[in-house]
Amino acid sequence: MQDQKRNEAAVAGTLDAPGRVLPLKPLAAAPQRPPAPRGRMKARHWGIVASFVVVVALPAAICAWYLWTRAADQFASYTAFSVRREEVNSTLELFGGITALSGSSSSDTDILYEYLRSQELVADLDQTLDLRSMWSKADPVRDPVFAYRAPGTIEDLVAYWPRMVRISYDAGAGLIDIRVLAFDPSDAQRLSTAIFERSTAMINELSAVARDDMIRYAREELDEAVERLKVARQSVTEFRNRTQIVDPEADIRTQVGLLATLQENLATTVIELDLMRQTTREGDPRIAQIDLKVRVIEARIEAERKKLGIGADGAEGEAFATLMGEYERLIVERQFAEETYTAALAAYDSARSEARRQSRYLAAHVRPTLAEASVFPRRGLVLSLVGLFLFLGWAVLTLLATSLRDRR
């Protein structure tokens, strides 16, 4: 109990000996600071405001004034197309099993895309449509930003081309979208139409070159096959004239058949001679006659064997097997030449059939349009972008200047 009272006394005040509670001394009040003075614009604040007006507000106002009072109206014409290749096989390919001679070239659209940005196309359209006059209809003195200053060089015209002709190319789908700007809607449509026509002519030229190359190569292969076939047939003819053998295989069959017949007759005559000697006396004249017949048959067999060794009128010592080997080689070469000629002729016919139809063509899914209202230049978008970049630049410069001032 006494300990509890001591704790309460310790909380309420202090204790002295012997247990008397002393009063607590009041704490000194914390000093109060005077209120902050009212904010006032200083020189650096006025400098920031002035810099905002000079760097952001004034240029944006000038840009807005120029866009709405000086910039000439521009009209847009749109067109879109893609390069397509006909995939229908020819009759020879369907029934003859011959593969296509010209494959689809994935670079056709790439070539066309580069052509649409080339100086050649710009110069061609300038000669046809007079691009310098078309794009200088807006007074370059009044609108020096968007108007073309005629006459200029071809390099100036090529540099101005991307500003008025925007080409978008989707490599995955093979689609090309074109937006053409002009200061007159009919000029924009005429230029868009001319671009489409030049693109069509470009693709047709590529197709014509491919077809000509295909036919020329096929014709060269056919000429080589014809010449090879002529040489092979001439070699067979020379062999027949030299050996006096039209068909060695048929001739050898005849010679072998004749030799087999003679050997059979020889065997029959020899048997007859043996029987005659056993059944008649020694001096019988029939024995001499049959013996003469045996010698004649043997001589004939020897002669036929010699024929098999030298051919009909060939040089003596030339084996008939050698002639057969040479003849078979010539026949194989002739057959190979005939097959090559057949394949080359079929390829040439297929190339001609392929050339009769247009394998590549330009398919337009958006024809050149005619504008009814001016959309460009997009004044609101241009002013917003200009104001945004001016504000970002001013903010960065202001932060840099403030940080440098605070580091001093």
Side-chain angles (χ1 to χ4, degrees):
M1 192 61 147
Q2 188 176 0
D3 294 337
Q4 183 178 1
K5 290 180 178 181
R6 286 180 179 273
N7 292 336
E8 292 176 357
V11 174
T14 58
L15 295 176
D16 65 347
R20 188 178 54 183
V21 178
L22 297 178
L24 215 179
K25 295 181 180 180
L27 297 175
Q32 296 183 354
R33 296 182 180 181
R38 188 175 183 179
R40 296 179 181 180
M41 293 289 290
K42 296 183 179 180
R44 65 175 183 275
H45 299 149
W46 289 110
I48 293 175
V49 173
S51 65
F52 178 82
V53 173
V54 173
V55 177
V56 180
L58 184 60
I62 295 175
C63 179
W65 168 81
Y66 185 89
L67 288 173
W68 268 272
T69 61
R70 311 279 291 187
D73 292 337
Q74 299 177 5
F75 299 87
S77 177
Y78 297 91
T79 183
F81 47 81
S82 59
V83 180
R84 288 290 178 263
R85 183 181 185 275
E86 189 176 354
E87 298 294 342
V88 180
N89 293 328
S90 63
T91 304
L92 287 174
E93 294 173 357
L94 293 177
F95 292 98
I98 301 175
T99 57
L101 295 177
S102 63
S104 177
S105 176
S106 59
S107 63
D108 289 341
T109 310
D110 298 334
I111 295 174
L112 180 59
Y113 176 67
E114 295 298 329
Y115 172 72
L116 291 173
R117 303 189 300 170
S118 66
Q119 178 177 330
E120 178 184 357
L121 177 62
V122 176
D124 187 14
L125 293 177
D126 182 44
Q127 293 179 358
T128 305
L129 303 177
D130 194 4
L131 296 179
R132 290 179 170 89
S133 299
M134 178 186 298
W135 285 336
S136 60
K137 286 185 178 181
D139 188 4
V141 176
R142 178 180 175 83
D143 184 11
V145 176
F146 297 101
Y148 177 75
R149 188 176 297 275
T153 62
I154 185 61
E155 287 76 13
D156 296 334
L157 199 60
V158 173
Y160 189 73
W161 173 268
R163 299 177 56 184
M164 305 301 286
V165 180
R166 189 196 67 182
I167 305 171
S168 301
Y169 173 38
D170 186 355
L175 302 178
I176 295 179
D177 296 329
I178 298 178
R179 186 199 67 193
V180 178
L181 298 179
F183 301 103
D184 185 83
S186 59
D187 290 342
Q189 188 182 35
R190 286 194 305 118
L191 179 55
S192 181
T193 303
I195 292 175
F196 177 75
E197 292 175 351
R198 295 299 187 281
S199 301
T200 302
M202 177 66 179
I203 293 301
N204 292 338
E205 183 179 354
L206 291 176
S207 299
V209 171
R211 289 195 299 267
D212 293 342
D213 291 342
M214 181 172 56
I215 293 177
R216 185 176 70 253
Y217 294 149
R219 184 64 195 180
E220 291 177 356
E221 292 180 357
L222 179 60
D223 293 340
E224 293 178 359
V226 169
E227 187 65 25
R228 177 181 292 181
L229 181 59
K230 288 180 179 179
V231 172
R233 289 180 174 177
Q234 183 65 28
S235 299
V236 174
T237 301
E238 292 177 356
F239 173 82
R240 288 170 176 171
N241 292 333
R242 177 170 57 86
T243 60
Q244 296 298 313
I245 300 175
V246 177
D247 188 357
E249 294 180 355
D251 188 75
I252 195 173
R253 285 194 298 269
T254 302
Q255 295 291 335
V256 170
L258 178 59
L259 185 59
T261 302
L262 290 175
Q263 288 178 345
E264 183 180 357
N265 292 335
L266 177 61
T268 303
T269 306
V270 170
I271 293 173
E272 184 181 357
L273 179 61
D274 292 340
L275 291 174
M276 186 65 65
R277 286 177 177 174
Q278 293 178 4
T279 57
T280 59
R281 56 186 179 83
E282 184 66 27
D284 193 334
R286 291 179 297 175
I287 295 176
Q289 185 179 5
I290 295 175
D291 185 61
L292 177 61
K293 183 179 179 181
V294 169
R295 289 196 299 270
V296 170
I297 294 174
E298 289 177 347
R300 176 50 53 190
I301 290 175
E302 184 65 23
E304 293 301 328
R305 286 178 175 175
K306 288 183 179 180
K307 286 183 180 180
L308 289 176
I310 63 173
D313 290 325
E316 186 173 0
E318 186 178 7
F320 197 82
T322 304
L323 296 179
M324 278 298 300
E326 182 181 357
Y327 177 76
E328 290 176 351
R329 178 179 60 82
L330 295 175
I331 292 300
V332 169
E333 291 179 355
R334 187 185 66 179
Q335 291 177 351
F336 179 75
E338 290 175 350
E339 293 176 357
T340 303
Y341 169 75
T342 302
L345 182 60
Y348 178 70
D349 292 339
S350 178
R352 293 182 59 185
S353 176
E354 182 77 11
R356 292 191 186 99
R357 57 188 176 91
Q358 187 179 13
S359 60
R360 297 179 180 88
Y361 60 93
L362 203 65
H365 51 276
V366 177
R367 294 286 178 177
T369 59
L370 178 63
E372 295 182 356
S374 172
V375 180
F376 296 89
R378 295 179 176 175
R379 295 175 172 85
L381 178 61
V382 173
L383 181 60
S384 300
L385 292 176
V386 170
L388 176 62
F389 284 106
L390 289 175
F391 177 77
L392 292 177
W394 170 81
V396 171
L397 293 177
T398 302
L399 291 175
L400 289 176
T402 304
S403 61
L404 291 176
R405 178 182 173 278
D406 294 340
R407 290 175 64 89
R408 294 178 180 176

